[in-house]
Amino acid sequence: MQTITKHYIDGTFMNSHGSEVMDIIKPTSGQVIARATLGDEEDTRHAIAAAKRAFDTFGRSTKEERTKILRRLHQAASARVDDLTAAMVEEYGGVVRFAGLIVQTGVNAFLAAEQALQEVPLTRNWGKTTVTLEPVGVAGLITAWNANALFICLKLASAVAAGCSVVIKPSELSSLQTRVLVEALHEANLPKGLLNVVTGRGNVVGAELVRNPDVAKISFTGSVGVGKSIMRDGAETMKRVTLELGGKSPTILLDDAILDQAIPSALVIAFLNSGQACAAGTRLLVPKNRLDAVRRAIVDAMRAFPVGDPADPKTVIGPMVSQKQYEQVQAYVRKGIQEGAEVLVGGEGHPEGFEAGYFVKPTIFINVKNNMTIAKEEIFGPVLSVIAYDSDVVAIIIPNDSEYGLHAAVLGTDLQRARRVASQIRSGRVVINNMTDDPQAPWGGFKYSGIGREYGCYGIEAFLEPRAILE
């Protein structure tokens, strides 16, 4: 039985002042595999004080000094990629083929931030005016459980590039993954207090970060409800905020799409990270005149999306992260049936042979209306709603008829037409014909999907404030 009793504060691993102990449950079996002692307000205040001391010096660092630190962080994290991937598979149940990609993307965030930093003009001059972009101060970074290494590395890289010191509150559900990552980053020989990590509950550690006047900035990834509370509570101390929240991402299948290519792509987008991804394309819009063909193509394509042991490279869909998440997915499946949607694939309960743990059946509903609960709310599981449309105009209206606007996809052979449709989607990112990424492109959402952007120069600028000096 593994035990985690320390937080990372002021350059050292320190025993937790908080005393609450939480069981770490393996999602494939429901068995306890570790115990973690959670931090409290005093641990958090200690970490904030360390970050504040570090900022007094690091806040005046040069672009060259920050670049050297980003390179060291990349080198240190790169040495533990395999360990980080294994921890994500064991603790979170992430399928290994996707977990490895997520971890590597997180590790590479340090190099991406280094590149972006070179393109950010920290000083501008005209006449007798000088404008400098100054680091905002101590940054509180609050991360989610579905891509632990990615979120921590991405936010840390942007903050360091901007010249901020940080206190990170990772999800308590990611305690094992966090321990491996912090052990790795410790080897980067950072200035004391630049990086601090306190694992604990959001209403304890997270709340202290949000209300503490010595924290200037909050960067949060998580639910809309928590995002709202951060905006509300952070206003008391005029917190700067970046919020990366939920999504109900549409995939638009145009009528010229080649189904044996487009449907597998749509399912890949829908079942990203076993459906536990804010970018997952969980609404599939298809032309009415192709609905029958789409039904057949989906049934055929689902054979390539097996549920299974996440450590098996052949597995595409693993378990949900927790019993709570399993029950939430089941509740949405029942709701879809109650509201009259037709189950094409999957349904309630565990997949056959996977009754232990938190496995769910990947489920696809057809004849879904865009006002149904399963088409409006973020399920965070492998549940796809197929919605029919009868014109390109409607194919644009339906995706935009949502509180969310994080991610979208357009699938079709006529690229000019696909680009025209993509340009009318109210979403922070739109991909065309496949799930692709660009570490320099902004990430974030319209409407309830959040405020601000991450990645590249956009992410660095979120940790900077302009100061003008006039003569």
Side-chain angles (χ1 to χ4, degrees):
M1 178 72 66
Q2 300 183 65
T3 58
I4 300 170
T5 60
K6 298 178 184 293
H7 307 295
Y8 189 73
I9 300 173
D10 209 17
T12 61
F13 291 92
M14 305 183 67
N15 284 324
S16 179
H17 178 271
S19 59
E20 180 185 358
V21 177
M22 188 186 78
D23 290 340
I24 305 299
I25 309 295
K26 188 170 184 175
T28 55
S29 65
Q31 300 299 308
V32 177
I33 57 172
R35 290 190 171 92
T37 302
L38 303 182
D40 62 8
E41 291 90 347
E42 185 165 331
D43 292 309
T44 311
R45 288 191 286 267
H46 189 185
I48 293 169
K52 185 179 180 181
R53 290 191 298 271
F55 181 72
D56 288 341
T57 301
F58 189 65
R60 299 192 300 272
S61 60
T62 66
K63 186 178 286 191
E64 291 72 23
E65 289 168 334
R66 298 171 198 173
T67 294
K68 290 178 181 178
I69 288 177
L70 289 167
R71 289 177 182 172
R72 295 207 303 270
L73 284 165
H74 175 259
Q75 183 178 17
S78 295
R80 299 292 297 274
V81 166
D82 290 345
D83 294 338
L84 288 165
T85 302
M88 185 173 178
V89 172
E90 179 182 34
E91 180 179 41
Y92 166 68
V95 296
V96 69
R97 62 161 69 181
F98 187 76
L101 185 63
I102 281 290
V103 167
Q104 191 62 61
T105 301
V107 169
N108 289 341
F110 297 113
L111 294 182
E114 178 193 343
Q115 178 184 340
L117 178 59
Q118 310 315 312
E119 301 172 8
V120 176
L122 297 180
T123 302
R124 298 181 178 97
N125 297 280
W126 61 88
K128 292 185 177 182
T129 298
T130 299
V131 176
T132 58
L133 297 181
E134 302 293 331
V136 67
V138 174
L141 313 181
I142 304 175
T143 63
W145 43 259
N146 59 316
N148 186 67
L150 171 62
F151 296 140
I152 291 177
C153 292
L154 172 62
K155 292 180 189 294
L156 174 62
S158 295
V160 167
C164 294
S165 55
V166 307
V167 179
I168 301 175
K169 191 220 85 71
S171 170
E172 62 274 22
L173 296 177
S174 304
S175 297
L176 293 178
Q177 297 168 75
T178 298
R179 182 175 70 174
V180 175
L181 181 56
V182 175
E183 287 174 353
L185 299 180
H186 175 70
E187 298 302 316
N189 191 28
L190 301 175
K192 287 181 61 177
L194 175 59
L195 167 65
N196 305 274
V197 183
V198 180
T199 298
R201 297 194 184 276
N203 60 0
V204 179
V205 176
E208 179 62 30
L209 287 173
V210 171
R211 65 175 171 251
N212 194 295
D214 289 332
V215 176
K217 162 87 180 185
I218 295 290
S219 179
F220 168 75
T221 297
S223 71
V224 172
V226 176
K228 288 179 179 180
S229 71
I230 288 172
M231 287 191 69
R232 182 174 57 249
D233 298 341
E236 185 67 28
T237 53
M238 296 302 266
K239 290 284 190 294
R240 277 60 177 152
V241 297
T242 297
L243 305 175
E244 197 275 283
L245 307 177
K248 192 64 184 177
S249 301
T251 297
I252 303 172
L253 185 81
L254 298 177
D255 59 16
D256 64 350
I258 300 170
L259 293 188
D260 62 359
Q261 298 173 10
I263 292 302
S265 293
L267 295 179
V268 166
I269 296 170
F271 297 144
L272 285 172
N273 207 12
S274 304
Q276 297 175 122
C278 50
T282 54
R283 290 184 293 162
L284 176 59
L285 279 68
V286 303
K288 284 183 179 178
N289 62 4
R290 303 197 71 184
L291 187 56
D292 287 342
V294 166
R295 290 171 61 124
R296 293 191 297 270
I298 287 174
V299 172
D300 290 343
M302 279 301 295
R303 289 193 288 267
F305 292 83
V307 176
D309 179 358
D312 186 341
K314 296 178 182 178
T315 296
V316 177
I317 300 173
M320 301 297 92
V321 69
S322 64
Q323 180 69 28
K324 178 182 177 182
Q325 195 64 25
Y326 170 85
E327 291 172 355
Q328 176 170 301
V329 173
Q330 296 300 308
Y332 275 111
V333 171
R334 289 192 295 271
K335 188 71 171 177
I337 295 170
Q338 291 166 6
E339 292 187 350
E342 178 186 342
V343 176
L344 178 64
V345 175
E348 289 187 71
H350 292 276
E352 186 176 352
F354 293 95
E355 287 75 18
Y358 309 133
F359 293 93
V360 302
K361 296 176 183 177
T363 298
I364 299 176
F365 287 101
I366 60 171
N367 296 325
V368 177
K369 305 300 180 184
N370 204 46
N371 60 358
M372 290 182 176
T373 303
I374 57 172
K376 292 193 301 182
E377 298 183 10
E378 185 176 40
I379 298 172
F380 232 60
V383 179
L384 174 63
S385 295
V386 178
I387 303 169
Y389 69 89
D390 54 17
S391 70
D392 282 8
V393 172
V394 177
I396 294 164
I397 291 172
I398 291 174
N400 289 339
D401 182 21
S402 171
E403 291 184 339
Y404 297 105
L406 181 64
H407 197 275
V410 180
L411 308 178
T413 56
D414 183 339
L415 283 179
Q416 284 192 337
R417 180 186 180 197
R419 290 169 186 148
R420 186 169 61 250
V421 171
S423 70
Q424 297 176 73
I425 304 302
R426 298 280 293 171
S427 183
R429 272 197 189 187
V430 186
V431 298
I432 295 176
N433 284 335
N434 57 65
M435 190 65 184
T436 188
D437 187 32
D438 180 344
Q440 301 302 328
W443 174 262
F446 287 44
K447 299 181 279 189
Y448 281 70
S449 286
I451 292 175
R453 295 293 185 267
E454 299 186 281
Y455 282 80
C457 62
Y458 305 91
I460 296 171
E461 289 170 354
F463 290 90
L464 295 168
E465 293 268 34
R467 178 179 63 204
I469 298 177
L470 294 79
E471 297 179 14

